[in-house]
Amino acid sequence: MAFCRLLFPLLVLSVASASTVPVFLWGDLSSSSGNSLKSNPLSTVSAQGFSEILNNELKDDPYVIVFLEETLSVEDFSRKNNEGDISIPYLYDNLSDALYLPSVEDASRVLEEVAKGAVHIKLTQNGLSAAIEDKNNRFMFIALKDAMEGESRYDLLRRHSNFMEDQISKLEKKGDVIAVYTARNPSWTIPDTHSRVRRQANSSVTNGPDYSLDGLRLYLTGVTLDHSNASVTFTNYAGGSSEYNTTTGVLNGTLNFDQGSLTLNFHRAAGYWFFDTVHFVQTNPAVDEILYATDDLNALLDFSYRCKQSVSFKSINETQEYKVSFIDIKVQPFFGPTNASTPFGDSFNCVGFFSAPIWSGLFVVFILLSITFYGIMTMMDIKTMDRFDDPKGKTITINAGE
């Protein structure tokens, strides 16, 4: 339990750098190096500092064995299974005689430089690649590369814990031994910086559904024209223009297609903007019609309109009826200068601000307040007795009128 209490804050506080790994040293360490209880989770040990620590520990020429994982981070030391068992109990047992460095820069590189000419052995699923010699060489690396397919992280670390215990117990009988447990890379990383980038698709003046004009944002997936029982889809958008009259508060945006041009007319009043008419002009055959909205199209200023999948504008000419439909429309006039990167405002979806649940809640609150008010008034109307019988005096007589 004490081991977990120690390593949990180290887990939280010492993972700020993605290029550092923890290092756990135990065995016949010098008394000046301290133990893991003095580790500082708020600081990172530099490569030079770690090299000085190793040189201090190796001055008596002990036998050094390095257990090198592929990945290791501080959270691995406190990892447990469903029964609450720790993944590396052997290190837990040696905690009092250990030096724990939760964040070390380039630990594997520094170990390689300090132990020049060391013996390198791999632990695979078939066992050790070579026998461990403790006489000819005093420095040995064992790369732990025996991960099995489908094996959990807990089972892998628990198996490595048993392996390290077995190897160290054999070497301790022959002299001073210092063991090092670390890795080449961290198993859990946190980026140095966090940034949130707002992404927006670039508008296209040829094929894109997002039409950007100065002072107007318009999203469409299609525009159709219905006339004389025939339907035509507007294609090949050739750009457009806009004009804003600051005196009248009217904004006109023109979209040019091969089939003709559409001028969208907006005006503002009383904190709202209104999309009233569309001016349709065609050269062949010649058409010049003002089309009126079949439904009210308006929203609050700084809001975009997104109520229907399709909105229509019709002419009032009884002989020649034209109907223009905007498919999957989202529109917002800004009544001022904008550019292609200006985003849409909040969407107005034609949903009332007071929905049915809100009205229901207000009704229930009103009923409860009425009951509370009635109860308080009833309590205030209670009259207590203000005259009492005196056993030694005359009996009080109360008239029926009182």
Side-chain angles (χ1 to χ4, degrees), residues 2-289:
F3 181 71
C4 296
R5 291 176 179 174
L6 168 66
L7 290 181
F8 183 75
L10 301 182
L11 164 65
V12 176
L13 297 174
S14 63
V15 293
S17 175
S19 61
T20 63
V21 294
V23 176
F24 196 96
L25 296 89
W26 74 98
D28 299 304
L29 303 176
S30 63
S31 58
S32 60
S33 63
N35 53 44
S36 63
L37 296 176
K38 297 181 181 179
S39 300
N40 185 0
L42 299 177
S43 64
T44 297
V45 179
S46 63
Q48 181 179 357
F50 182 50
S51 177
E52 294 175 356
I53 293 175
L54 289 177
N55 291 328
N56 180 59
E57 295 297 338
L58 303 181
K59 60 185 178 181
D60 295 332
D61 195 27
Y63 188 88
V64 181
I65 181 169
V66 179
F67 299 97
L68 196 62
E69 296 272 11
E70 284 299 312
T71 60
L72 185 69
S73 293
V74 290
E75 73 271 18
D76 291 324
F77 290 92
S78 58
R79 189 182 297 274
K80 296 182 179 180
N81 62 1
N82 295 332
E83 288 74 27
D85 298 328
I86 298 175
S87 59
I88 316 178
Y90 177 57
L91 299 186
Y92 172 86
D93 296 335
N94 291 273
L95 185 63
S96 59
D97 299 324
L99 173 63
Y100 176 64
L101 305 174
S103 182
V104 180
E105 294 180 350
D106 297 329
S108 59
R109 180 183 61 82
V110 174
L111 286 168
E112 293 280 359
E113 293 177 353
V114 173
K116 294 182 178 179
V119 176
H120 291 264
I121 299 177
K122 292 183 181 181
L123 174 64
T124 64
Q125 296 183 11
N126 299 324
L128 290 172
S129 59
I132 296 179
E133 298 290 342
D134 59 308
K135 294 181 180 180
N136 299 331
N137 199 302
R138 306 293 291 177
F139 222 114
M140 177 171 294
F141 285 81
I142 299 181
L144 306 176
K145 297 185 176 182
D146 59 336
M148 301 179 182
E149 184 177 357
E151 185 180 34
S152 67
R153 182 68 175 173
Y154 171 85
D155 294 334
L156 174 67
L157 296 176
R158 186 60 179 262
R159 192 155 46 78
H160 289 173
S161 175
N162 297 335
F163 172 77
M164 290 187 291
E165 182 178 8
D166 180 62
Q167 299 301 322
I168 296 299
S169 61
K170 294 178 182 179
L171 295 175
E172 283 180 340
K173 300 177 182 179
K174 301 179 181 181
D176 295 341
V177 177
I178 292 180
V180 182
Y181 181 58
T182 184
R184 298 185 185 277
N185 303 293
S187 58
W188 188 47
T189 61
I190 294 180
D192 293 335
T193 59
H194 298 267
S195 61
R196 185 175 182 181
V197 180
R198 180 167 185 169
R199 304 188 184 276
Q200 181 175 341
N202 295 327
S203 60
S204 173
V205 298
T206 56
N207 298 314
D210 193 355
Y211 301 87
S212 297
L213 300 177
D214 186 15
L216 176 66
R217 288 300 306 275
L218 177 64
Y219 177 93
L220 295 172
T221 58
V223 183
T224 61
L225 172 65
D226 295 318
H227 172 62
S228 300
N229 298 325
S231 180
V232 178
T233 301
F234 285 79
T235 57
N236 296 329
Y237 174 59
S241 61
S242 62
E243 181 182 356
Y244 174 55
N245 190 323
T246 57
T247 304
T248 60
V250 174
L251 173 66
N252 302 319
T254 301
L255 307 178
N256 299 313
F257 299 90
D258 286 351
Q259 292 75 16
S261 65
L262 298 173
T263 300
L264 286 56
N265 303 314
F266 302 85
H267 77 274
R268 56 187 299 176
Y272 284 79
W273 62 262
F274 300 86
F275 185 10
D276 296 326
T277 59
V278 171
H279 187 194
F280 173 49
V281 177
Q282 190 178 38
T283 56
N284 187 21
V287 177
D288 191 336
E289 289 283 346

Side-chain angles (χ1 to χ4, degrees), residues 328-349:
D328 195 16
I329 184 174
K330 182 176 183 179
V331 60
Q332 180 180 1
F334 290 89
F335 301 99
T338 60
N339 52 52
S341 62
T342 302
F344 280 103
D346 295 332
S347 295
F348 177 63
N349 300 309

Side-chain angles (χ1 to χ4, degrees), residues 379-398:
M379 293 175 59
M380 295 177 60
D381 196 50
I382 296 176
K383 296 181 179 180
T384 60
M385 295 178 61
D386 57 356
R387 290 186 292 178
F388 302 91
D389 283 336
D390 185 358
K392 296 181 180 181
K394 185 178 180 180
T395 303
I396 299 176
T397 302
I398 301 175

